[in-house]
């Protein structure tokens, strides 16, 4: 299920809208125009004004062409986005060539297209754009027009300073690109993992809704089945011994099939009935029954699954929660998968706490996994160390994340560790609830049993 969920939420959704690029470029062009106009007329610097605005106009023409050709909601492919960012780098290099090269303080703007690429494009595209920016910066350090200055003076910055600016651009491109890509990638992974979690919860909710659909179907089908049974009995009574063997056989088959359908419907309707204690079947369960339901599917897999239950006072009860059941089943599946021969499930409860501990005698968790346990796309244990070496793939690392999310949503705390006892090894997962949290949704409404009704006396209060 984790693999299917991951395939549903592929990273293609990270493609940026063309409108985003167009708006960012208009912002950059506004800044470039203001800088050129301010330097030329505000500071009185002698700029190649016409050439500068010709370079700026090239970007304006491209923006207008993109706006006319494509709708605002159009999403760019990775290659198209990389080409547009490469154009921005070349356009900036053209402006810097006309205005002093790396001596121009605005040369650090080489970092902007690389930063945008790191947040939205694959690493190989970002690397290519970073190399383009560094290459053009190297060229500008050697070949450029003089830095514009006041008419009565001339400034010539030493090459050591220019080398420092080039080094700053190189290091800034590398650090900013890697950092921005890592942050953006973690955000994308978390978004996909949460989307996968929502998909799993939706599927579990659909399964739980089948109970209501089954009860509704049983209610609706009860009347026509009763009518069919009545008609079959009436035909059998009227035809009696005069019926041919074939007709008698068909009538008998019809009655048998109707009885079978009514038996199935009775099972469906019993799922919604209440027991004598007032608990609803498949909704409220004891802690022990919950554990047995988790363990039962694992007993035929070749690994001994032992259950130990012990506590103070009455056994806690809880409301059946599809998310918690899925999360606990995922953890138990993982323990059975990696165990060598034995898995121990321990249930403990007191007046304050309810604890479920799952131990196995497998290789345990690697230390680097324990540091990041519960994060999306962190595989708990490598597949080549599992009990089934023929199973392909090492998992996507979403199982534990989803299990932890679902379990902690119920108010529990989940702890992962390795067994440190002498002569023992394996992984240990402990889930702990405060008892009042564990039982908060299991309050069963008290009803007055029909067989317990007695005449009211004057001191009795009539039930409402």
């Amino acid at each position: 299920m984790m693999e299917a969920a991951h395939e549903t939420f592929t990273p293609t959704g990270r493609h940026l809208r063309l409108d985003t690029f167009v708006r960012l470029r208009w912002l950059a062009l506004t800044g470039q125009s203001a800088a050129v106009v301010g330097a030329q007329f505000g500071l009185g610097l002698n700029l190649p004004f016409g050439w500068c605005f010709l370079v700026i106009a090239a970007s304006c023409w491209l923006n207008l062409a993109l706006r006319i050709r494509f709708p605002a909601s159009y999403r760019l492919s990775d290659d198209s986005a990389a080409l547009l960012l490469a154009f921005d780098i070349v356009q900036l290099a053209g402006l810097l060539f006309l205005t002093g090269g790396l001596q121009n303080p605005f040369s650090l703007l080489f970092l902007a297209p690389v930063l945008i690429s790191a947040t939205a494009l694959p690493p190989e595209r970002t690397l290519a754009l970073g190399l383009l920016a560094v290459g053009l910066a190297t060229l500008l350090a050697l070949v450029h027009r003089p830095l514009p200055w006041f008419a009565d003076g001339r400034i010539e910055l030493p090459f050591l300073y220019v080398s420092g600016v080039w080094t700053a651009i190189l290091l800034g491109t590398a650090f900013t690109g890697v950092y921005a890509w890592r942050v953006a990638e973690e955000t994308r992974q978390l978004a996909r993992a949460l989307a996968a979690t929502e998909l799993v919860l939706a599927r579990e909710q659909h399964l739980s809704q089948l109970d209501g659909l089954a009860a509704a179907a049983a209610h609706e089908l009860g009347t026509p089945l009763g009518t069919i049974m009545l008609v079959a009995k009436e035909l059998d009574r009227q035809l009696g011994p005069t019926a041919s063997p074939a007709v008698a056989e068909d009538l008998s088959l019809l009655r048998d099939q109707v009885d079978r359908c009514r038996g199935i419907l009775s099972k469906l309707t019993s799922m919604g009935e209440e027991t004598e204690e007032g608990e609803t079947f498949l909704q409220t369960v004891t802690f022990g029954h919950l554990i047995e339901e988790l363990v039962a599917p694992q007993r035929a897999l070749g690994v001994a699954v032992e259950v130990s239950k012990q506590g103070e006072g009455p056994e806690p009860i809880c409301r059946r929660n599809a998310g918690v059941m899925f999360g606990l089943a995922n953890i138990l599946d993982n323990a059975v998968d990696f165990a060598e021969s034995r898995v121990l499930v321990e249930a403990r409860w007191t007046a304050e706490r309810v604890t479920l501990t799952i131990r196995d005698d497998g290789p345990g968790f690697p230390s680097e996994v324990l540091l990041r346990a519960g994060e999306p796309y962190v595989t708990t244990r490598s597949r080549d160390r599992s009990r089934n070496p023929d199973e392909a793939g090492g998992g996507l690392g979403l199982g534990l994340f989803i299990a932890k999310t679902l379990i902690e949503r119920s108010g529990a705390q989940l702890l992962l560790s390795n067994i440190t006892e002498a002569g023992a090894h394996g992984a240990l997962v402990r889930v702990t609830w405060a008892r009042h949290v564990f039982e908060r949704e299991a309050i069963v409404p008290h009803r007055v049993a029909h067989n317990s009704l007695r005449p009211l006396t004057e001191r009795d209060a009539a039930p409402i």
Side-chain angles (χ1 to χ4, degrees), residues 141-212:
L142 302 175
V143 181
H144 59 270
R145 290 177 59 91
L147 179 67
W149 203 245
F150 298 103
D152 56 352
R154 179 178 177 84
I155 184 172
E156 194 66 41
L157 299 177
F159 187 75
L160 180 61
Y161 174 82
V162 176
S163 300
V165 174
W166 180 88
T167 305
I169 293 176
L170 174 63
L171 297 180
T173 300
F175 175 79
T176 305
V178 173
Y179 179 80
W181 172 80
R182 187 59 193 166
V183 171
E185 187 65 19
E186 289 182 356
T187 302
R188 284 191 290 264
Q189 289 180 354
L190 182 60
R192 292 198 298 268
L194 290 176
T197 303
E198 294 298 329
L199 176 63
V200 172
L201 288 176
R203 290 175 177 174
E204 295 297 327
Q205 184 178 9
H206 292 164
L207 291 177
S208 63
Q209 290 174 347
L210 291 178
D211 293 341

Side-chain angles (χ1 to χ4, degrees), residues 16 24 85 89 108-121 126 129-130 133 172-181 183-184 188:
L16 289 179
L24 289 175
L85 291 174
I89 294 176
L108 288 179
L109 291 177
F110 272 128
L111 301 180
V114 179
L115 177 62
I116 296 174
S117 174
T119 58
L121 299 181
T126 303
L129 292 173
T173 300
F175 175 79
T176 305
V178 173
Y179 179 80
W181 172 80
V183 171
R188 284 191 290 264

Side-chain angles (χ1 to χ4, degrees), residues 266-286:
S266 65
K267 292 180 181 179
L268 292 177
T269 54
S270 66
M271 295 174 66
E273 294 178 355
E274 295 188 347
T275 61
E276 294 180 358
E277 290 79 10
E279 297 179 348
T280 305
F281 183 62
L282 291 180
Q283 292 186 4
T284 303
V285 295
T286 64

Side-chain angles (χ1 to χ4, degrees), residues 392-422:
L396 296 171
L398 278 175
L400 182 59
F401 168 78
I402 293 179
K404 186 173 185 292
T405 302
L406 295 178
I407 293 173
E408 290 184 346
R409 184 176 291 181
S410 70
Q413 293 182 346
L414 188 143
L415 174 65
L416 276 70
S417 63
N418 288 326
I419 299 174
T420 58
E421 302 172 2

Side-chain angles (χ1 to χ4, degrees), residues 14 78-79 82 117-118 121-131 181:
R14 69 181 178 183
D78 292 340
D79 292 335
S117 174
L121 299 181
E124 56 272 14
R125 307 294 197 288
T126 303
L127 177 61
L129 292 173
L131 293 176
W181 172 80

Side-chain angles (χ1 to χ4, degrees), residues 365-425:
F365 297 105
S367 57
E368 62 272 12
V369 171
L370 289 176
L371 294 175
R372 300 178 57 203
E375 295 183 11
Y377 298 95
V378 177
T379 303
T380 53
R381 286 175 277 186
S382 60
R383 179 62 59 190
D384 55 4
R385 299 173 66 185
S386 70
R387 184 175 53 86
N388 186 5
D390 296 332
E391 186 174 344
L396 296 171
L398 278 175
L400 182 59
F401 168 78
I402 293 179
K404 186 173 185 292
T405 302
L406 295 178
I407 293 173
E408 290 184 346
R409 184 176 291 181
S410 70
Q413 293 182 346
L414 188 143
L415 174 65
L416 276 70
S417 63
N418 288 326
I419 299 174
T420 58
E421 302 172 2
H425 60 86

Side-chain angles (χ1 to χ4, degrees), residues 254-273:
L254 180 60
R255 288 194 304 271
D256 292 341
Q257 294 302 312
V258 172
D259 288 335
R260 181 181 176 186
C261 290
R262 296 180 70 176
I264 295 174
L265 292 181
S266 65
K267 292 180 181 179
L268 292 177
T269 54
S270 66
M271 295 174 66
E273 294 178 355

